[in-house]
Amino acid sequence: MSTHFRIPVVDRFPSQVTSLAHIANANKTVKEKLIPRQLEMFKRIVFERFEDVDMVFNNQIIHHMLLREVKRTRADSISFSVGGNIVTFSNDDFLSMTGLWRSPMRVDRYEQSSYELAIKYFVNRVTKDTLHLRLLEEKYKELEFENDGDAVKITLV
């Protein structure tokens, strides 16, 4: 049985991913920006475990793994071809390995308000389809949030 990659080998092209996410730097910026009440709110979200992580996220490894992703029929899992073997991780496996957990609440996305914060805080620099991460990184420290909820939501991004 042949392996059917999600991105066929013939559709791949040589590239180099050069972006590194310095989680420690981001954590330092967040701790400097948020007031104690906002920081407590931020700590209650699912990514709280990453708050004190001091590492560099390696995009090259993730890129390579995603090129090895194979087509599977289960919607609640992701599979990779590693060393000729198919390795499958379910949502629960991923949560267990990362130390994350399922949210007890359902999170709904309302299309009409999906750009509300971008427009509110980046009014002249955002279009409906684009908000560049570089812009967010540059302006984050200067933002004056209207409320704690906005502060936590934009910090999460």
Side-chain angles (χ1 to χ4, degrees), residues 110-123 126 128 146-147 150 153-154:
Y110 298 100
E111 190 62 35
Q112 65 200 47
S113 65
S114 63
Y115 300 99
E116 182 180 321
L117 289 177
I119 292 167
K120 183 189 285 187
Y121 292 102
F122 303 95
V123 70
V126 65
K128 186 176 180 198
E146 289 183 12
N147 59 60
D150 287 357
K153 289 174 188 175
I154 290 181

Side-chain angles (χ1 to χ4, degrees), residues 89-108:
F89 299 99
S90 69
N91 288 347
D92 290 333
D93 293 334
F94 176 78
L95 296 173
S96 177
M97 287 184 292
T98 59
L100 299 173
W101 57 91
R102 290 188 187 278
S103 174
M105 303 177 308
R106 179 181 165 93
V107 177
D108 291 319

Side-chain angles (χ1 to χ4, degrees), residues 22-88:
H22 295 271
I23 296 172
N25 292 344
N27 286 338
K28 180 180 178 221
T29 301
V30 167
K31 288 176 183 177
E32 290 172 352
K33 177 65 179 173
L34 298 182
I35 62 175
R37 182 178 63 248
Q38 295 166 344
L39 196 53
E40 281 304 312
M41 289 173 66
F42 187 74
K43 287 180 180 182
R44 290 193 302 252
I45 63 174
V46 73
F47 295 105
E48 174 240 343
R49 294 180 183 258
F50 294 113
E51 179 190 1
D52 293 316
V53 171
D54 183 11
M55 65 179 246
V56 175
F57 184 79
N58 192 318
N59 290 341
Q60 291 89 347
I61 292 173
I62 301 302
H63 176 73
H64 177 74
M65 286 302 296
L66 289 175
L67 289 177
R68 308 296 304 160
E69 183 182 359
V70 296
K71 293 181 182 178
R72 301 302 276 187
T73 57
R74 288 181 51 193
D76 68 337
S77 66
I78 189 168
S79 299
F80 303 96
S81 175
V82 180
N85 298 307
I86 303 298
V87 180
T88 301

